């Protein structure tokens, strides 16, 4: 990226919560935490100091299909950042005392999520959408699993899933391609390949989970199945969710917040996996307003199949394209985009190709997509807080058909 004096680089591992067995639930996230807890040549503090002494930062995250380890540094410090990233991935110590320290940290993280309604409700929604499947389990894992993980468990997950065909090195900004390749060959060239893991096909189920608790707000999260990220229909799904609840001009924001004052937060978004995806709608409101809010949400979804306008679709397309193109100005966003595209397509499509897919979505496509959602067999619904009097899922489904 000409003109930049900094760079972003990282290793994206195509292994996450979806790769865990039931007894391993939470280990991918535990492993991500342990990456920073010491190697054969650096202590926990030395890992942090190595990057922060030169003004950079280093971090990681775990998702259901990927775990990422990344850093941002100035141009001259790219080799250093690469060395630290390679070190934490290839030479972790997993010292027993550090495992116990980090176990406590993760248990605190789990407790924090459980105390945050608009976090935990999405875990419950995922579980309702994909019950009894790895895709439906929480990324953090249940506390009882986390308490039992051992050093051997961590090394076992690495040995099975942290293999070269599942690891993507991505860099953007002030980087030299040939130098990055040389560094990669020196650090990772001896890794032995293995058999690529195959996920069990996702099975969207749907249903309802209702957790009654004395909170100030009632929280509602609703999900419908949509295409996965390899399906061309994903662009229609993204445009639909943007028009429905992707910004201040969206239908849900205007109707539920601006016109009726029923909530402070309401949004719709699309999330995609290899073979499935979710259109998710979330809102928080008072117990007294929840019934009206839920029914109006369904009514707006059903109405969009009839009267979604060309102007709304054009606005959603513009928002998607602007988000894509603005993101390309950030080396961190660009490095992540490159890694994700390679993980999906084994290549990096030109930006113009993606823009063409977005521009090809018509108003008719969006209306047809909304109609299919409205006639879906059973969405997933999660309710949390003072929700004992909230409408049942079958009643809300009836509102879709009205």
């Amino acid at each position: 990226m000409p003109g930049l004096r900094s760079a972003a680089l990282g290793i994206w591992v195509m292994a996450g919560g979806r790769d865990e067995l039931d007894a391993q639930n939470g280990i991918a996230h535990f492993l991500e935490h342990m990456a920073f807890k010491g190697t054969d040549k650096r202590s926990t503090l030395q890992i942090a100091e190595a990057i922060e002494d030169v003004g950079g930062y280093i971090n990681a995250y775990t998702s259901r299909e990927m775990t990422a380890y990344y850093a941002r540094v100035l141009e001259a410090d790219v080799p250093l950042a690469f060395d630290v990233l390679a070190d934490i991935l290839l030479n972790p110590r997993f010292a027993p005392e550090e495992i116990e320290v980090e176990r406590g940290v993760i248990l605190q993280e789990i407790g924090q999520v459980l105390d945050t309604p608009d976090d935990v409700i999405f875990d419950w929604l995922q579980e309702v959408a994909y019950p009894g499947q790895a895709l439906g389990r929480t990324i953090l894992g249940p506390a009882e699993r986390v308490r039992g993980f051992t050093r051997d468990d961590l090394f076992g997950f690495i040995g099975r899933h942290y293999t070269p065909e599942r690891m993507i090195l991505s860099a953007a900004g002030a980087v030299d391609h040939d130098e990055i390749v040389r560094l990669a060959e020196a650090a990772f060239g001896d890794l032995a390949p293995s058999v690529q893991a195959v996920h069990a096909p996702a099975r969207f189920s749907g249903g309802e989970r209702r957790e009654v608790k004395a909170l100030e707000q009632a929280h509602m999260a609703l999900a419908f199945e949509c295409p996965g990220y390899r399906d061309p229909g994903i662009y229609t799904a993204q445009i639909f969710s943007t028009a429905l609840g992707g910004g201040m001009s969206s239908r849900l924001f205007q109707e539920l917040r601006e016109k009726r004052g029923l909530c402070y937060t309401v949004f719709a978004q699309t999330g995609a996996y290899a073979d499935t995806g979710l259109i998710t709608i979330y809102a928080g409101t008072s117990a007294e307003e929840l019934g009206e809010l839920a029914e109006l949400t369904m009514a707006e979804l059903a109405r969009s199949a009839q009267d979604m306008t060309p102007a709304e679709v054009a606005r959603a397309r513009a928002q998607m394209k602007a988000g894509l193109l603005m993101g390309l100005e950030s080396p961190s966003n660009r490095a992540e985009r490159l890694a994700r595209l390679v993980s999906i397509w084994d290549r990096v499509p030109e930006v113009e190709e993606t823009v063409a897919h977005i521009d090809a979505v018509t108003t008719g496509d969006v209306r047809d997509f909304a109609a299919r959602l409205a006639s879906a067999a059973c969405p997933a619904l999660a309710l949390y807080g003072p929700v004992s009097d909230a409408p049942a899922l079958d009643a809300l489904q009836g509102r879709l058909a009205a």
Side-chain angles (χ1 to χ4, degrees):
M1 299 173 68
L4 293 191
R5 301 182 66 179
S6 67
L9 67 159
I11 305 290
W12 278 259
V13 185
M14 291 183 285
R18 194 172 182 180
D19 297 274
E20 299 167 344
L21 302 174
D22 183 53
Q24 296 176 315
N25 186 201
I27 198 167
H29 174 256
F30 201 125
L31 182 59
E32 171 226 312
H33 273 242
M34 288 304 302
F36 301 97
K37 301 300 288 185
T39 70
D40 293 339
K41 68 177 184 179
R42 289 183 175 95
S43 67
T44 301
L45 178 59
Q46 287 170 334
I47 291 171
E49 287 179 338
I51 299 298
E52 294 184 359
D53 281 355
V54 297
Y57 68 80
I58 187 169
N59 211 336
Y61 68 81
T62 307
S63 69
R64 288 184 167 85
E65 292 185 337
M66 187 171 284
T67 307
Y69 305 84
Y70 56 93
R72 179 83 182 270
V73 292
L74 297 179
E75 181 178 9
D77 302 310
V78 168
L80 168 66
F82 184 96
D83 183 65
V84 172
L85 288 168
D87 191 27
I88 65 176
L89 283 166
L90 297 174
N91 308 303
R93 290 188 60 232
F94 298 153
E97 64 274 15
E98 294 289 1
I99 290 175
E100 294 310 313
V101 169
E102 208 59 28
R103 194 191 313 277
V105 171
I106 295 169
L107 290 171
Q108 294 298 325
E109 184 179 2
I110 291 171
Q112 179 174 306
V113 168
L114 292 174
D115 281 346
T116 309
D118 53 355
D119 279 347
V120 72
I121 196 169
F122 289 105
D123 283 340
W124 294 344
L125 185 70
Q126 193 83 13
E127 184 180 0
V128 171
Y130 303 102
Q133 303 166 63
L135 195 57
R137 295 194 288 262
T138 170
I139 291 171
L140 299 184
E144 59 269 22
R145 296 284 192 221
V146 172
R147 291 190 182 99
F149 291 145
T150 67
R151 189 171 188 264
D152 288 343
D153 293 331
L154 295 171
F155 276 120
F157 194 84
I158 284 182
R160 181 171 177 79
H161 298 291
Y162 279 51
T163 52
E165 68 282 351
R166 305 188 73 179
M167 300 169 74
I168 299 167
L169 166 61
S170 183
V175 295
D176 178 85
H177 177 80
D178 292 336
E179 179 187 34
I180 294 292
V181 171
R182 286 193 299 271
L183 292 170
E185 288 174 340
F188 296 98
D190 293 334
L191 285 182
S194 69
V195 178
Q196 181 80 337
V198 178
H199 296 142
R203 304 180 311 279
F204 180 90
S205 176
E208 178 183 329
R209 176 167 178 172
R210 182 182 304 231
E211 296 285 340
V212 178
K213 187 173 183 179
L215 302 175
E216 286 295 320
Q217 275 205 316
H219 300 264
M220 179 190 77
L222 183 70
F224 297 82
E225 188 175 25
C226 75
Y229 49 61
R230 292 192 179 97
D231 188 319
I234 187 62
Y235 298 100
T236 302
Q238 290 171 323
I239 288 172
F240 168 75
S241 66
T242 300
L244 182 69
M248 293 174 62
S249 62
S250 67
R251 290 189 164 209
L252 291 178
F253 193 95
Q254 284 295 312
E255 185 66 26
L256 300 181
R257 174 171 161 157
E258 297 299 280
K259 293 182 180 179
R260 299 178 183 264
L262 293 175
C263 58
Y264 175 74
T265 300
V266 59
F267 61 81
Q269 62 186 14
T270 301
Y273 306 102
D275 55 348
T276 187
L278 292 178
I279 296 278
T280 302
I281 300 168
Y282 167 82
T285 188
S286 65
E288 295 76 19
E289 308 282 13
L290 180 58
E292 182 182 2
L293 181 143
E295 291 179 1
L296 285 171
T297 296
M298 291 302 203
E300 283 300 317
L301 196 156
R303 189 168 67 84
S304 64
Q306 306 297 323
D307 64 0
M308 182 70 73
T309 66
E312 289 176 291
V313 174
R315 184 186 304 119
R317 284 198 301 258
Q319 287 177 268
M320 282 186 62
K321 289 187 289 186
L324 168 63
L325 297 173
M326 290 178 185
L328 294 178
E329 298 178 1
S330 160
S332 296
N333 289 349
R334 185 173 289 205
E336 176 150 4
R337 177 177 179 271
L338 296 175
R340 289 189 176 277
L341 289 172
V342 170
S343 73
I344 296 169
W345 301 114
D346 202 27
R347 69 184 182 94
V348 180
E350 295 293 334
V351 174
E352 291 76 15
E353 181 179 337
T354 303
V355 170
H357 283 301
I358 296 170
D359 282 337
V361 176
T362 67
T363 303
D365 293 332
V366 175
R367 288 184 179 182
D368 289 346
F369 180 83
R372 290 195 297 273
L373 286 192
S375 62
C378 183
L381 175 66
L383 297 163
Y384 187 34
V387 296
S388 56
D389 296 329
L393 181 58
D394 55 356
L396 293 177
Q397 281 186 271
R399 187 70 168 148
L400 278 177

